[in-house]
Amino acid sequence: MLIWVIRRDLLLAMRRQADVLTTLFFFIIVVSLFPLGVGPEMNTLRIMAPGIVWVAALLASMLSLGRMFSNDYLDGTLEQILLSPTSLSLLVLGKMFSHWLITGVPLVLMAPVLGIQYDLPFSALAVLTLSLLLGTPILSLIGAIGAALTLGLRGGGVLVSLLVLPLYIPVLIFGAGAVEASVAGLGFDAHFSLLGAFLLVSLVFAPWATAASLRISME
Amino acid sequence: MNWNSWSEFFSMGGYGFYVWGSYLVSVICIAGEIWLLSNRWRTLQKSLGQRVESTIREKKNEATS
Amino acid sequence: MSINWYKYASPASFYFLAGKMIWYFSIAAAVLLIAGLYIGFFVAPTDFQQGEAYRIIFIHVPVAWMSMFLYVVMAFWAGIGLAFNTRLSSMVATAIAPTGAMFTFLALWTGAWWGKPMWGAWWVWDARLTSELILLFLYIGFMSLQAAIDDPRRADKAGAIIALVGVVNIPIIYFSVQWWNTLHQGASVSITQSPKMATAMLAGMLIMSLAAWMYSIAMILKRTRAIILERERHTTWVAELKGTKR
């Protein structure tokens, strides 16, 4: 059942490649706009790079949250899923995983290329990619709660940002912090352990909270 | 007693702008909340009163007709 | 003799009880406010370090305490409403949010106006200030979510989930902001030093906190009453209530 949900979501995403590409291009454009606003001074850009890439990743992953449940909600699949005997939390976990595959993984793959624009050293590029690899699943997990709560509401897209962005702050701090520490030549193990801890905690709680939110929204 | 005159009280040892600035906004916010809530209460009472009166009138009309 | 507390869990009986109690809490708030301001401005001595500017403490600390405390209370009642399906506790949670958000805003505002003369900056990215700002975002998120949902019961439950998620996250956010702040030390000013306070200062602060507490209770009761009337306007007891009064 879990694999069925993931495969179905991936298949739908392949049919609508434009959606996936929009998120990715949004990420690329936001990151590329910053030097135009701040100025081409490489030393400043190198300091700002981790924060910029991470904030852009937060926004990009948030943009695609609306699609997580709304298509299934509109065509009635969600109702069927709610009625099915399989645990809803497990199915929700599948949806989170496919959301991460569709939006998170492209960001992770794109990040090193964008890091080069900011003249990050190779070690920092590796840390940036790894931190995004650890951090983007958390964004999908937490974001799903907001997506489920705002399901079918007017202006849900803006509302989801209000609900979800404050909750993303710890991920931003430690994700960007890891890269900054590596640029400064300090250890970044602690950042990674904390990101890993967040990932585990949200892996336990987020599917459950999202399932409860979906039940409330579908009543 | 801390103050010898009113002007001394208002100047707050040179920090009057900051002290009164923060207290003034606090007063505005609290008064604003009270005003908004009592406004909400009053419109609610009014609309409820009208609703009850209209149902009474309807019942009377039903009885007479 | 035992009081039947369950009686007050129904919106109708709460409505009447709250109507009586609002006056006591309002009067207590007014009396405590006057006493607290008198002690704060006329009894408490001038601070030898900060001069008269420290008198902002009498409004700043009470509203900051209340802002954090009210969020926890709000999440608690919202959670009770979600778990036991009690309408009244969800209504109380909804009623708490605006007062809590106002106190959070005031804590930020008075903090800025205290920070400017003391640290030379309206805003510093200190862990406490940043967390307070995020708390304001959480309040606003809770209120906007509830405002966007038309069905009141769905609004109650959805709000409860976001409030509970927020309450779990507040310690994590505070901890991470503090870590972040120590990493970037330099521009920030430490406000952890707490010199020994004169008894009068402490007394003024505590009395003002009590006043803020009484004020919050009065406002929450009043707002809960309004919410009860709005939601139960089609029930017979509300109709009877207006019928007898007029």
Side-chain angles (χ1 to χ4, degrees):
Chain A
M1 211 39 193
L2 183 68
I3 296 175
W4 175 80
V5 170
I6 297 171
R7 260 176 61 189
R8 182 175 165 278
D9 277 9
L10 288 182
L11 206 68
L12 283 175
M14 290 312 283
R15 285 202 200 130
R16 296 189 188 186
Q17 284 166 352
D19 283 359
V20 183
L21 290 177
T22 321
T23 314
L24 186 60
F25 278 116
F26 175 82
F27 178 60
I28 296 170
I29 290 171
V30 168
V31 173
S32 310
L33 278 182
F34 267 88
L36 300 173
V38 178
E41 183 56 48
M42 269 306 172
N43 285 326
T44 344
L45 287 181
R46 209 174 296 126
I47 296 169
M48 294 174 62
I52 292 171
V53 174
W54 259 99
V55 169
L58 249 58
L59 295 176
S61 132
M62 190 200 75
L63 263 190
S64 55
L65 282 177
R67 283 198 302 276
M68 201 167 188
F69 297 113
S70 64
N71 287 339
D72 290 353
Y73 172 67
L74 291 176
D75 68 13
T77 321
L78 201 56
E79 232 162 305
Q80 300 296 318
I81 289 178
L82 280 174
L83 292 174
S84 84
T86 326
S87 145
L88 182 58
S89 307
L90 201 64
L91 295 172
V92 163
L93 190 66
K95 295 214 61 98
M96 291 161 166
F97 185 68
S98 48
H99 177 263
W100 176 67
L101 281 182
I102 295 163
T103 60
V105 172
L107 301 189
V108 175
L109 296 176
M110 203 61 212
V113 183
L114 295 173
I116 291 171
Q117 279 190 325
Y118 286 78
D119 194 29
L120 282 180
F122 264 111
S123 56
L125 285 179
V127 176
L128 177 68
T129 315
L130 277 177
S131 72
L132 280 167
L133 191 65
L134 262 178
T136 41
I138 311 177
L139 303 183
S140 297
L141 285 163
I142 297 176
I145 305 175
L149 284 175
T150 54
L151 193 60
L153 296 183
R154 290 166 275 111
V158 190
L159 195 56
V160 110
S161 64
L162 260 181
L163 297 179
V164 157
L165 284 179
L167 303 176
Y168 279 173
I169 288 167
V171 185
L172 171 67
I173 287 174
F174 290 106
V179 189
E180 277 171 33
S182 131
V183 171
L186 302 168
F188 45 80
D189 303 357
H191 295 85
F192 274 9
S193 335
L194 281 165
L195 274 180
F198 290 157
L199 180 58
L200 288 180
V201 171
S202 40
L203 209 53
V204 172
F205 288 109
W208 176 73
T210 311
S213 315
L214 275 180
R215 287 220 171 82
I216 290 166
S217 296
M218 297 291 290
E219 251 170 24
Chain B
M1 202 56 160
N2 290 317
W3 322 100
N4 296 317
S5 68
W6 280 109
S7 61
E8 207 174 295
F9 177 67
F10 285 118
S11 81
M12 277 284 146
Y15 292 118
F17 176 66
Y18 300 105
V19 173
W20 299 122
S22 47
Y23 274 92
L24 183 71
V25 172
S26 309
V27 169
I28 291 172
C29 280
I30 289 169
E33 194 192 6
I34 295 174
W35 183 77
L36 279 175
L37 188 54
S38 55
N39 220 16
R40 176 178 176 180
W41 184 254
R42 247 178 285 125
T43 43
L44 190 64
Q45 295 282 321
K46 223 178 268 173
S47 73
L48 279 180
Q50 278 167 359
R51 203 180 66 82
V52 171
E53 272 167 20
S54 67
T55 48
I56 292 171
R57 215 174 299 132
E58 274 166 27
K59 273 180 190 159
K60 268 185 193 163
N61 288 348
E62 276 166 24
T64 49
S65 62
Chain C
M1 194 186 121
S2 70
I3 306 168
N4 182 10
W5 289 106
Y6 290 105
K7 204 183 119 197
Y8 296 112
S10 103
S13 35
F14 178 88
Y15 178 87
F16 294 108
L17 181 71
K20 283 179 212 147
M21 279 164 45
I22 285 170
W23 290 108
Y24 298 124
F25 285 110
S26 312
I27 291 164
V31 170
L32 285 166
L33 181 72
I34 291 166
L37 285 176
Y38 178 75
I39 292 175
F41 279 102
F42 295 104
V43 178
T46 310
D47 189 73
F48 70 97
Q49 262 185 331
Q50 310 195 359
E52 308 295 353
Y54 92 94
R55 288 183 202 278
I56 297 175
I57 205 175
F58 297 114
I59 187 80
H60 176 70
V61 172
V63 294
W65 278 350
M66 282 316 288
S67 69
M68 291 180 261
F69 177 64
L70 282 180
Y71 192 89
V72 178
V73 176
M74 181 183 88
F76 171 78
W77 284 118
I80 296 278
L82 184 68
F84 300 107
N85 213 10
T86 43
R87 279 175 303 154
L88 182 61
S89 23
S90 302
M91 291 180 196
V92 171
T94 310
I96 290 174
T99 304
M102 188 207 68
F103 276 141
T104 316
F105 167 74
L106 278 185
L108 287 169
W109 179 274
T110 54
W113 284 64
W114 192 8
K116 182 65 184 165
M118 286 302 112
W119 313 326
W122 294 102
W123 181 262
V124 291
W125 287 97
D126 170 83
R128 288 193 215 181
L129 274 77
T130 315
S131 306
E132 191 76 16
L133 182 67
I134 295 164
L135 185 67
L136 183 63
F137 295 158
L138 292 178
Y139 270 120
I140 290 172
F142 176 86
M143 287 193 289
S144 350
L145 179 65
Q146 291 210 322
I149 304 176
D150 293 328
D151 172 32
R153 285 308 285 155
R154 184 186 162 187
D156 284 347
K157 290 177 181 171
I161 287 198
I162 204 68
L164 288 173
V165 170
V167 113
V168 170
N169 263 278
I170 284 175
I172 300 177
I173 292 174
Y174 181 76
F175 159 72
S176 27
V177 173
Q178 198 154 32
W179 167 297
W180 164 80
N181 186 250
T182 47
L183 269 183
H184 294 255
Q185 234 168 23
S188 78
V189 187
S190 161
I191 49 168
T192 40
Q193 34 86 313
S194 55
K196 273 218 167 110
M197 259 197 275
T199 337
M201 293 184 192
L202 196 65
M205 216 168 75
L206 289 178
I207 291 175
M208 287 294 276
S209 303
L210 271 179
W213 204 328
M214 296 297 121
Y215 167 82
S216 313
I217 295 176
M219 293 312 273
I220 291 162
L221 288 179
K222 180 94 178 168
R223 196 175 285 115
T224 311
R225 281 188 103 202
I227 294 171
I228 291 174
L229 275 194
E230 276 161 12
R231 292 206 191 164
E232 313 239 315
R233 55 171 61 203
H234 301 297
T235 57
T236 42
W237 74 267
V238 174
E240 277 165 14
L241 175 80
K242 298 312 297 177
T244 50
K245 258 192 186 171
R246 290 228 162 196

